[in-house]
Amino acid sequence: MRYKSIAGHELTPGKTIKDHIHVRGTELHVPHVLLCGEHPGPTLLISAGIHNAEYVGIQAAIELSNELDVKELRGNVIILPLANRSGFENRTMSMVYEDGKNLYRVFPGDAEGSEADRLAHTLFEVFIKNVDFYIDLHSGDGYETLVPYVYYLGDTSAEEKAKKMVTCVNTKYYVRSRCRTGGAYNLASIYGIPSVLIERGQLSLFSREEIEADKADVRNILRYAGILSGDWTEYPKQQLLEYSNDAPCTGCWYPEKKVGDFFHKGEKLGEIRDYFGRSLFTEYAPEDGVLLHQCSSLNIIEKGPMVTYGVLQNNIE
Ligand SMILES: [Zn+2]
């Protein structure tokens, strides 16, 4: 009998494979772990480190790859603990070291493009599009504070299952995204693969509590998917409509609010000043909302992230 193959490896029941895949036309190698359950079932992919300075998910993925037991799995778990390895090893702020691109934003990638394009192409073709469920682990970047929340993409054939995955995640908020371009989980969703992106952690810090919370969420989703046995827990949460405002200019940034704060329309959210302390721009809240993540470093970069907030929707699910 032949089993499903991923990255040139047949997923033979009971096997654990730890390997690197080479990205054609580059020096990049992507570490991956294939946990082939002893019992048949679906295949779930976990990726971390698409943004390489978002450490909570990376460490959670490394630990899960050693803690999940193939004897207990009904199906397969594929783990990419560090998708952007060269960024990690050169300590970039979540850009691919070789070409300075944001890997997350170039999906589905390009087999003939620069390093980030080729890496995204490989991740999508070899791993993402060949699985039944997908979890992408993120945090606030090295300069960002963030409250935990979870995304899924609306208006897809995978929406119902993706919503169930969202209920398995122990956060207060979720975003039903409308973004259909760039991004790994949303592209997978368009391909009909139930997918979520979990945001937890900030400022390139990583705490035991956050790592355990990521791992608990993944295990809960694995129970929902039937890959781990046992009951899964549903966590009620509030739906948000998300808005991201990038910085209109480069300079010094002075945020007024903390992530998780509620604000009213018209309240000041922060100000950009020049190096003489003169005001260049003031950001006011365009409507009532809750601050999800924001730039929290003194420097802010034109067209780079400034504030991302959510507007509360009526339904609690
Ligand atoms: Zn990220």
Side-chain angles (χ1 to χ4, degrees), residues 51 54 138-139:
H51 289 143
E54 300 177 1
H138 285 253
S139 310

Side-chain angles (χ1 to χ4, degrees), residues 217-244:
D217 286 343
V218 169
R219 286 199 173 93
N220 202 27
I221 292 173
L222 285 169
R223 285 192 290 274
Y224 158 68
I227 298 174
L228 281 179
S229 60
D231 294 333
W232 45 285
T233 309
E234 294 191 14
Y235 296 97
K237 50 178 72 62
Q238 176 79 54
Q239 188 186 349
L240 301 173
L241 206 54
E242 184 197 54
Y243 296 89
S244 285

